[in-house]
C-alpha cells in the first residue's frame, strides 16, 4: 500500500483547551482505520480539520506527498476528502436521487433538471454499494438505516479518496449495522482510505485494519487490529493519570428507604427489560457506550418518552402513564443532556431560569410573589455557588459551568426526592465539574436519590455509590463503585461488546 494521507505535528488550541497536541499519523490507500478515544480526546476536532471545517493552528496535511492547506470544506472535497457526520444532512421532502446529487442536479440544455440523468447517476452510485433502492422515493419514507446508506451514497458520488465516517451506526439496530459494515468493507476494497469513528467497539475488528487511539488531544498509538485487544485499548484510552475523588459517605450501605423501583421496563429500540432499585441517599451511576440506552432510560423514567412494558414505582406506589408533570409532582426532577436546547432560556435572566421549574410554588391564583421569586433564585445562587454579576443578567452571558449550575439549581428548587442527571458535566471546566460533583454528594448525604449518566467513566466512579453498566439497551452489571478500579469498570463497559 502507498501512503495517501499524512498528518504532521497537528496542533489545535481553544481558550483554555488544547484540543490536539502534536498529532502525527499516516493513512494508506485501501486502509480502514478505526479512530477511538473517550469524549474530549480530540476525535471531532481532527475530523473537522480533515474536512476543512476548521483549520489547524500548526502542522501540515500531506496528500500524495504534497502539503495541502484547506481553507474550506470545498477545498477538502476537491482533494478527495469527504465526511459523513453522525447527524444526517438529508432533505426529507426530496427524493433519494435528489439527495444524492443535492446541489449538483444535472440540467438539460433548456436549464431544467434532467431527471433521467439524475436517476441514472443515483442508481449507478447505489450500485457501487450493491444496494437496490427506489431512487424516486422521498427520504422521509426511509428508515434510519436506509437514510444512512443514502448519506454514504451521497459521499460516494463525490468519488472520494478518503472517506470519514463519524458514528455511522449509532442509531441502527443490529441487523442494520451488519448491512452497513458490509458496505464499509466494500468501500475499503475499492481502494479508498476510510477513517471510521465508533463507540461500538464490537464493530472495529469486523472492518478495521488498524486502530488509532487519541487521549487528551494526543496520539497515543496506532496498532494493527490483531494487537487491539480490549485491555490494550482500555490502557491506551485512559492512561494512568486518574485518581479517584473520595467522599465521606461513598462507602455507606444505603438500603433503608426504597425511593425508586424499576421493573422490566422496555422501550422498543431503546432499552429492554430494565430492573433496578434506588434508595434514599444513593447515587447510582449509569455507565455505557454511546447508544447503550442511558439517555433513553432517563427520559422514559421522567415521562418524556413512552415505554412499551414494565413498571415504575416511587415510594412503593406504581406510576401509571408517567409524564413530566406527574413525575415532578411525585418528587422527581431531571437535568437533561443538552442544557442550551433542553434546559435553559438563554436570553432570559438567571433568576427566571432558576425558577422555571418551581414557578407554581411561587404563585398564588396566577399571581407571582416577587419577594419569594427573588429569594428563591438568590438562595440557589448561593447554595450552588453560581458566579454571576446579578440575578437579572441573561443566562447566556455566564460560563458553561455556571449555566450548568443554573440548570441544576432550577430543579433543586422543586425540592425533589429523586434527581436524574444526564451528562451534567458536559462542556464545563474542571473547577465547576468538581463543585457539581461535591454538590451531588452533599445532597445525597441529606437523602436525595440521584441517577447519574456520564460518558466519562472516571466521573461515574468519582460520584457513584453503585454503578449500572448498560450495553445494547440492557443492564449487564450492577456493581459497587468502591470495589472497582477504573480499568475494571472500563473492561465491564467495553468487554461485552468488543471482539464478539
Amino acid at each position: 500500500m502507498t501512503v495517501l494521507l499524512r498528518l504532521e505535528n497537528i496542533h489545535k488550541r481553544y481558550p483554555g483547551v488544547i484540543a490536539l497536541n502534536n498529532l502525527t499519523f499516516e493513512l494508506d490507500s485501501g486502509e480502514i482505520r478505526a479512530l477511538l478515544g473517550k469524549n474530549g480526546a480530540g476525535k471531532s476536532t481532527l475530523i473537522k480539520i480533515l474536512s476543512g471545517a476548521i483549520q489547524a493552528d500548526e502542522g501540515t496535511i500531506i496528500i500524495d506527498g504534497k502539503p495541502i492547506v484547506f481553507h474550506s470544506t470545498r477545498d477538502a472535497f476537491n482533494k478527495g476528502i469527504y465526511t459523513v457526520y453522525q447527524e444526517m444532512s438529508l432533505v426529507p421532502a426530496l427524493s433519494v436521487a435528489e439527495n444524492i446529487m443535492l446541489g449538483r442536479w444535472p440540467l438539460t440544455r433548456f436549464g431544467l433538471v434532467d431527471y433521467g440523468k439524475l436517476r441514472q447517476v443515483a442508481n449507478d452510485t447505489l450500485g457501487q454499494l450493491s444496494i437496490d433502492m427506489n431512487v424516486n422515493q422521498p427520504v422521509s419514507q426511509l428508515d434510519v438505516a436506509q437514510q444512512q446508506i443514502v448519506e454514504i451514497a451521497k459521499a460516494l458520488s463525490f468519488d472520494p479518496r478518503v472517506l470519514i465516517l463519524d458514528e455511522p451506526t449509532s442509531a441502527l439496530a443490529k441487523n442494520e449495522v451488519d448491512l452497513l459494515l458490509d458496505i464499509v468493507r466494500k468501500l475499503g476494497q475499492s481502494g479508498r482510505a476510510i477513517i471510521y469513528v465508533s463507540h461500538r467497539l464490537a464493530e472495529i475488528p469486523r472492518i478495521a485494519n488498524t486502530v488509532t487511539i487519541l487521549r487528551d488531544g494526543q496520539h497515543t498509538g496506532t496498532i494493527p487490529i490483531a494487537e487491539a485487544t480490549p485491555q490494550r485499548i482500555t490502557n491506551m484510552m485512559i492512561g494512568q493519570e486518574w485518581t479517584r475523588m473520595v467522599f465521606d459517605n461513598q462507602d455507606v450501605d444505603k438500603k433503608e428507604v426504597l425511593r425508586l423501583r424499576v421493573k422490566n421496563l422496555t422501550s422498543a429500540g431503546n432499552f429492554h427489560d430494565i430492573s433496578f432499585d434506588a434508595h434514599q441517599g444513593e447515587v447510582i451511576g449509569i455507565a455505557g457506550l454511546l447508544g447503550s440506552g442511558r439517555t433513553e432510560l432517563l427520559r422514559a423514567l421522567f415521562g418524556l418518552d413512552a415505554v412499551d412494558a414494565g413498571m415504575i414505582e416511587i415510594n412503593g406506589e406504581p406510576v401509571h402513564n408517567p409524564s413530566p408533570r406527574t413525575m415532578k409532582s411525585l418528587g422527581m426532577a431531571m437535568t437533561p443532556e443538552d442544557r442550551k436546547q433542553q434546559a435553559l432560556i438563554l436570553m432570559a435572566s438567571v433568576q427566571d431560569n432558576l425558577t422555571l421549574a418551581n414557578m407554581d410554588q411561587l404563585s398564588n391564583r396566577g399571581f407571582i410573589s416577587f419577594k419569594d421569586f427573588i429569594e428563591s433564585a438568590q438562595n440557589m445562587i448561593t447554595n450552588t455557588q453560581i458566579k454571576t454579576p446579578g440575578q437579572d443578567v441573561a443566562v447566556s452571558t455566564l460560563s458553561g459551568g455556571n449555566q450548568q449550575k443554573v440548570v441544576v439549581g432550577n430543579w433543586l428548587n422543586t425540592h425533589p426526592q429523586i434527581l436524574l442527571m444526564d451528562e451534567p458535566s458536559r462542556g464545563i471546566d474542571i473547577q465547576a465539574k468538581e463543585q457539581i460533583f461535591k454538590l451531588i454528594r452533599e445532597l445525597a448525604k441529606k437523602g436525595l436519590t440521584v441517577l447519574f449518566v456520564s460518558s466519562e467513566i472516571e466521573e461515574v466512579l468519582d460520584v457513584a455509590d453503585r454503578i449500572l453498566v448498560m450495553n445494547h439497551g440492557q443492564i449487564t452489571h450492577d456493581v459497587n463503585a468502591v470495589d472497582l478500579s477504573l480499568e475494571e469498570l472500563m473492561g465491564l463497559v467495553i468487554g461485552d461488546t468488543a471482539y464478539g
Side-chain angles (χ1 to χ4, degrees), residues 408-474:
V408 175
N410 173 45
W411 282 102
L412 290 181
N413 262 330
T414 67
H415 307 292
Q417 294 182 339
I418 303 166
L419 178 61
L420 314 180
M421 307 186 80
D422 194 2
E423 302 283 6
S425 65
R426 175 168 290 174
I428 66 176
D429 60 57
I430 293 174
Q431 183 181 17
K433 183 184 299 188
E434 290 181 352
Q435 288 173 340
I436 289 175
F437 291 174
K438 184 178 179 181
L439 176 64
I440 292 171
R441 295 307 315 180
E442 288 174 349
L443 292 168
K445 198 171 183 178
K446 295 176 182 178
L448 183 67
T449 301
V450 180
L451 268 63
F452 177 91
V453 165
S454 176
S455 298
E456 302 296 332
I457 302 299
E458 300 95 323
E459 294 180 2
V460 179
L461 275 175
D462 279 337
V463 179
D465 302 300
R466 211 171 97 227
I467 298 173
L468 306 177
V469 178
M470 290 192 68
N471 203 310
H472 294 304
Q474 292 184 297

Side-chain angles (χ1 to χ4, degrees), residues 305-330:
D305 296 335
V307 295
D308 300 303
M311 176 63 71
I312 301 170
E313 294 181 2
I314 295 180
N315 294 321
E317 296 295 327
V319 182
H320 302 287
N321 301 316
S323 68
R325 181 186 295 273
T326 299
M327 303 314 275
K328 178 188 165 188
S329 71
L330 293 172

Side-chain angles (χ1 to χ4, degrees), residues 319-363:
V319 182
H320 302 287
N321 301 316
S323 68
R325 181 186 295 273
T326 299
M327 303 314 275
K328 178 188 165 188
S329 71
L330 293 172
M332 183 179 283
M334 178 175 173
T335 64
E337 181 178 17
D338 188 335
R339 61 178 173 268
K340 291 186 177 181
Q341 295 293 328
Q342 301 170 331
L344 296 172
I345 302 175
L346 291 173
M347 298 312 296
S349 67
V350 171
Q351 64 186 11
D352 287 341
N353 278 279
L354 278 169
T355 53
L356 288 171
N358 72 325
M359 190 64 69
D360 55 338
Q361 301 170 15
L362 302 174
S363 60

Side-chain angles (χ1 to χ4, degrees), residues 16-77:
V17 177
I18 300 176
L20 291 175
N21 184 11
N22 197 35
L23 185 144
T24 296
F25 74 80
E26 295 179 344
L27 184 67
D28 294 338
S29 58
E31 181 180 5
I32 301 178
R33 172 75 55 84
L35 181 63
L36 305 180
K38 299 184 303 175
N39 282 0
K43 304 187 301 296
S44 295
T45 302
L46 175 58
I47 290 171
K48 289 176 182 177
I49 289 172
L50 283 174
S51 65
I54 61 175
Q55 286 74 49
D57 298 324
E58 300 174 34
T60 307
I61 299 174
I62 300 171
I63 297 178
D64 292 330
K66 299 177 182 178
I68 300 293
V69 177
F70 296 152
H71 297 289
S72 66
T73 53
R74 183 175 295 276
D75 289 345
F77 288 165

